[in-house]
Amino acid sequence: MQKQSHNHFKPQRSWCLVTALVGLIGGVLFISLFLKTSNNWILCNNNKASTMGNFLVDKSNPQQLLLDAILHYATSRVIPQQNINEIRISFDVLKNRTPCNFLVFGLGHDSQMWASFNSRGNTLFLEEDPKWVETILKDAPFLHAETVKYRTMLSEADELVEHFHKEPDCSAKKSFIRGNHGCKLALDMLSDEVYNKEWDLIMIDAPRGYFAEAPGRMAAIYSAAVMARNRKGKGVTHVFLHDVERKVEKIYAELFLCRKYLVKGVGRLWHFEIPPSSNVGNSFC
C-alpha cells in the first residue's frame, strides 16, 4: 500500500484489474442488498452526509460506501498495489468474516476497496506519513485512518533480530505492545482503539521498506503477531503480509508469523491463520 509515484501506468493491466475490482465490489453490494431489511438505504440523510465533489457520501451507510468504491475504481486510472489474485485471497476471507474488525497497515489507492469489502464492519488504516493521510482523505473523507510513528529503520533489521532474542520484553511469553518501551519492535504508542479491539484480520502492506532509512515492516510484523497471540475471542487471527519476495519481510514472517501458520500464498502475498497463545504456548513459532 505504498505510494505509487514510482509505478508506470500500464493500460491493459489497469483496465483488467479495474474491471475485476468493480466486479468484486459489485458482488458485495449485490449480496448486501438482500441482507438489508430497510427499503430506504439509498436515501441520504442530510444530517449525516458529507459533500465530496458533486456527490453526497453518507458515512453511516454501508451500501453508499460500496457504491462510492465502484465509482472510484471505474473512473480512476490509479490501480491498487496488489494484483487481482492477491486481492482475492483477502476478499475470500472478508466475505465470510464481515462485519469484522480489520486493521490495515498502510493507506493508499486500495483503501476504498478494503473499506468497501468490510462496509458493515470496522476498518482502520495505520499510515506513517501525515501528508499522505491528508492527500488520501481529501478524496475519501469517510476512511478511518491514523498516523503511526515508527522507532525502526530498515537498515536496523538484522540488529533488531538480535535485540528480540536478548530483550526480555520482546519475548513471546510476555507478549505485549501497549507501553512496551523496552522492546524496539513493539508499536508502543498507538491509539487506544488499536489496543482495545481484537482484530479479526490484519493486513501488512506498509510502512515503506525499500530503502535503508525507511521504517521497514519489522515492527508491524512483530506487533501483528503479538495482537494475534493475545486474542481472547474464538477462532484465529488472519494476517496478510505483502511484498514477501523481499528479504526482511520473509525473515520476519518466518520468525513471528510462522511457516506452520501459513495457509496460502499467491504472488507476493502470504496468508497466515494465527491461533491465540493459550492454544500454542510461550513461543512465537
Side-chain angles (χ1 to χ4, degrees):
M1 207 165 301
Q2 301 157 0
K3 304 150 190 69
Q4 296 186 337
S5 58
H6 61 285
N7 288 349
H8 295 290
F9 175 65
K10 299 178 181 178
Q12 185 175 3
R13 176 178 179 269
S14 174
W15 282 113
C16 290
L17 182 54
V18 166
T19 301
L21 285 179
V22 170
L24 285 177
I25 298 169
V28 175
L29 175 60
F30 180 78
I31 293 170
S32 70
L33 291 178
F34 285 92
L35 299 177
K36 185 72 175 178
T37 57
S38 172
N39 62 0
N40 65 348
W41 61 269
I42 197 65
L43 298 178
C44 295
N45 185 328
N46 290 331
N47 294 325
K48 297 179 180 178
S50 62
T51 303
M52 189 178 72
N54 294 325
F55 298 92
L56 285 175
V57 178
D58 186 349
K59 296 180 181 180
S60 66
N61 193 323
Q63 281 78 17
Q64 189 141 353
L65 178 60
L66 291 166
L67 288 170
D68 184 73
I70 292 173
L71 175 66
H72 171 76
Y73 291 110
T75 58
S76 175
R77 290 170 61 89
V78 181
I79 60 175
Q81 183 82 355
Q82 298 181 25
N83 65 44
I84 189 62
N85 293 324
E86 294 167 344
I87 291 169
R88 192 172 286 278
I89 291 181
S90 309
F91 173 77
D92 286 343
V93 175
L94 274 167
K95 72 181 181 183
N96 291 321
R97 293 297 298 268
T98 191
C100 64
N101 291 327
F102 185 18
L103 183 65
V104 183
F105 285 87
L107 183 71
H109 300 302
D110 50 2
S111 297
Q112 288 194 51
M113 173 187 69
W114 297 126
S116 70
F117 289 165
N118 189 39
S119 60
R120 293 179 180 276
N122 177 47
T123 304
L124 173 60
F125 300 91
L126 302 180
E127 169 59 40
E128 63 180 291
D129 185 350
K131 291 184 178 179
W132 184 243
V133 172
E134 289 180 12
T135 298
I136 295 297
L137 295 188
K138 188 180 298 182
D139 293 330
F142 45 84
L143 294 177
H144 184 19
E146 297 180 0
T147 55
V148 179
K149 187 174 182 179
Y150 290 89
R151 297 189 283 166
T152 60
M153 290 194 301
L154 184 64
S155 59
E156 302 171 330
D158 291 338
E159 298 172 22
L160 288 169
V161 171
E162 295 181 15
H163 169 75
F164 159 69
H165 288 299
K166 294 178 180 179
E167 173 55 56
D169 283 344
C170 291
S171 70
K173 187 174 183 179
K174 286 198 172 182
S175 199
F176 74 106
I177 54 176
R178 189 202 301 253
N180 189 350
H181 309 307
C183 180
K184 296 177 182 178
L185 288 168
L187 293 176
D188 60 338
M189 297 295 286
L190 300 176
S191 69
D192 288 341
E193 179 180 3
V194 179
Y195 296 131
N196 293 339
K197 277 191 171 64
E198 288 203 339
W199 299 99
D200 304 299
L201 284 80
I202 302 175
M203 171 73 71
I204 305 171
D205 206 356
R208 292 171 295 172
Y210 52 88
F211 60 96
E213 295 77 20
R217 298 183 185 169
M218 301 84 68
I221 293 170
Y222 172 85
S223 297
V226 171
M227 292 179 198
R229 287 176 53 80
N230 288 343
R231 184 180 183 86
K232 299 296 189 293
K234 295 181 180 179
V236 299
T237 302
H238 296 268
V239 179
F240 305 92
L241 175 63
H242 198 226
D243 297 317
V244 294
E245 81 286 0
R246 300 194 304 212
K247 177 183 176 182
V248 169
E249 277 79 356
K250 186 171 292 186
I251 289 174
Y252 275 74
E254 294 184 346
L255 186 59
F256 297 116
L257 302 179
C258 311
R259 178 73 66 168
K260 63 184 177 181
Y261 301 137
L262 178 63
V263 294
K264 196 167 186 179
V266 173
R268 297 181 295 150
L269 186 83
W270 281 353
H271 171 205
F272 299 85
E273 293 183 357
I274 301 180
S277 60
S278 57
N279 294 351
V280 295
N282 293 325
S283 63
F284 282 102
C285 298

